[in-house]
Amino acid sequence: MKALVCSRLGGPEDLAVESLPDPVAGPGEALVRVRVAALNFFDTLIIAGRYQVKPELPFSPGGEACGVIEALGPGAEGFSVGDRVMVHVSHGTARERIAVPVRRLARVPDSVSDETAAGLSITYGTTLHALRDRARIKPGETLVVLGASGGVGLAAVELGKLLGARVIACASSPAKLETARAHGADDLVDYQANNLREELRRLNGETGADVVYDAVGGDLAEPTMRSLGWKGRYLVIGFAAGEIPKFPLNVIMLKGIDIQGVHWGAFVEREPEAHGANQAQLLAWAAEGRLTVKVHGIYPLDAYEEALGILKRREAVGKVLLQVGA
């Protein structure tokens, strides 16, 4: 099989497409022929050795995919050969075949495309867990989304609206903000052209926002945290800006703010039933057309440098996908 392989830590230019033996499904595993794999910003960190997940070399990047089960290992239950499935793992989907525990699979409805299913599991799974399980967002509350045009950002815009929130999308250009508007954002803030804190104060008044969804970190974090109102919730998703922010605890104390960590991978392992219910809900919403999963681009496996470069430069507007097989 063809596989995108990281043999030494570095950038996209340090990877290579290689020919490897086909894997074999072990106990409790399914052998999945990958059709479409999705890349995320964290893949650029994994291949550089800068992510909390540090696979043993060599490995393939890619944490999510859509494919078809070709074989089942001993004791693998709940699925059949020929089932089209959504795959979510920490890494390894950027290859033509992958052996994966069946608990990491979800059956894909016929009405959901390969491209939608490939990009649904991690970004939308993280976001649903963040908004519903952690923040417990309620209809009518105000949600501020940083980096609102990327994969997780657009997921937050879409799911925030679906859960009944008023969504304020924050991004670095008018074009990115228009994409957020097209996916349901009620208000827009260009933080390159305007003062973020002042714009959020203008939009929210003295009441403040209820929930902040932050996958960016860096210099944007503190002014956004200060925009929260009484008992606001600040969701820590990731640090695409590269810098981990430090918050003034006095502001958190005076406003009764909750800083809520969102570690989706740990949630998947520790609460498998809740995770399974979330995945089923996402697929049902996608089948009903209530989630669109915007695709930035679909690239052949050999164009991995271009695909990962878009993510590394934070240029993605939606999901970046690799067309791996037919």
Side-chain angles (χ1 to χ4, degrees):
M1 68 172 182
K2 289 173 63 177
L4 179 59
V5 177
C6 177
S7 298
R8 64 177 187 273
L9 299 178
E13 67 278 4
D14 294 301
L15 305 181
V17 175
E18 299 181 6
S19 180
L20 300 178
D22 287 345
V24 176
E29 291 184 337
L31 178 64
V32 177
R33 174 168 49 83
V34 176
R35 288 178 171 175
V36 179
L39 297 174
N40 293 282
F41 179 77
F42 68 75
D43 286 303
T44 69
L45 302 179
I46 287 178
I47 64 174
R50 295 171 44 221
Y51 196 58
Q52 58 258 35
V53 175
K54 293 180 168 56
E56 182 178 344
L57 295 170
F59 67 90
S60 293
E64 51 189 344
C66 181
V68 177
I69 294 177
E70 289 192 330
L72 292 167
E77 299 179 348
F79 294 89
S80 302
V81 172
D83 282 350
R84 193 164 60 103
V85 291
M86 184 168 72
V87 180
H88 63 88
V89 287
S90 61
H91 62 279
T93 66
R95 52 177 56 200
E96 290 182 326
R97 288 176 175 80
I98 182 173
V100 60
V102 292
R103 69 178 184 277
R104 296 287 190 163
L105 304 177
R107 191 176 287 103
V108 178
D110 291 342
S111 59
V112 177
S113 69
D114 291 346
E115 292 76 18
T116 294
L120 191 68
S121 182
I122 292 179
T123 48
Y124 284 80
T126 296
T127 304
L128 183 58
H129 172 53
L131 295 180
R132 190 165 68 175
D133 302 332
R134 299 292 285 136
R136 300 188 182 278
I137 199 164
K138 296 183 284 293
E141 289 193 313
T142 296
L143 168 66
V144 176
V145 180
L146 294 179
S149 66
V152 288
L154 283 176
V157 171
E158 282 198 79
L159 284 172
K161 287 301 295 180
L162 200 154
L163 294 171
R166 169 200 174 207
V167 177
I168 301 175
C170 306
S172 60
S173 74
K176 290 180 177 180
L177 288 170
E178 286 306 314
T179 298
R181 188 196 298 278
H183 285 73
D186 298 288
D187 296 289
L188 310 176
V189 175
D190 182 341
Y191 49 66
Q192 288 286 79
N194 301 285
N195 182 289
L196 177 59
R197 187 178 177 188
E198 290 179 0
E199 286 296 295
L200 292 175
R201 183 185 293 118
R202 178 181 65 81
L203 290 169
N204 294 316
E206 294 301 316
T207 303
D210 298 292
V211 179
V212 168
Y213 182 98
D214 180 13
V216 180
D219 294 339
L220 300 176
E222 184 175 334
T224 313
M225 183 274 291
R226 289 178 179 272
S227 77
L228 284 166
W230 175 244
K231 290 189 176 180
R233 290 90 79 200
Y234 195 102
L235 294 165
V236 181
I237 310 297
F239 314 103
E243 179 184 345
I244 298 175
K246 297 178 176 60
F247 289 141
L249 294 180
N250 61 321
V251 177
I252 293 169
M253 178 190 72
L254 292 171
K255 290 189 173 186
I257 290 170
D258 288 336
I259 306 295
Q260 299 181 327
V262 180
H263 187 179
W264 183 73
F267 165 69
V268 169
E269 293 297 330
R270 291 171 178 267
E271 302 179 48
E273 290 184 2
H275 159 65
N278 281 357
Q279 295 284 285
Q281 179 66 85
L282 291 170
L283 285 164
W285 280 334
E288 294 165 6
R290 301 178 73 184
L291 295 177
T292 58
V293 188
K294 178 175 173 56
V295 174
H296 178 95
I298 305 172
Y299 302 85
L301 188 62
D302 290 338
Y304 61 87
E305 279 195 61
E306 181 182 358
L308 285 165
I310 289 166
L311 290 164
K312 188 175 181 179
R313 296 187 300 272
R314 295 172 57 193
E315 296 172 353
V317 179
K319 297 295 298 185
V320 174
L321 306 178
L322 293 176
Q323 186 73 53
V324 179

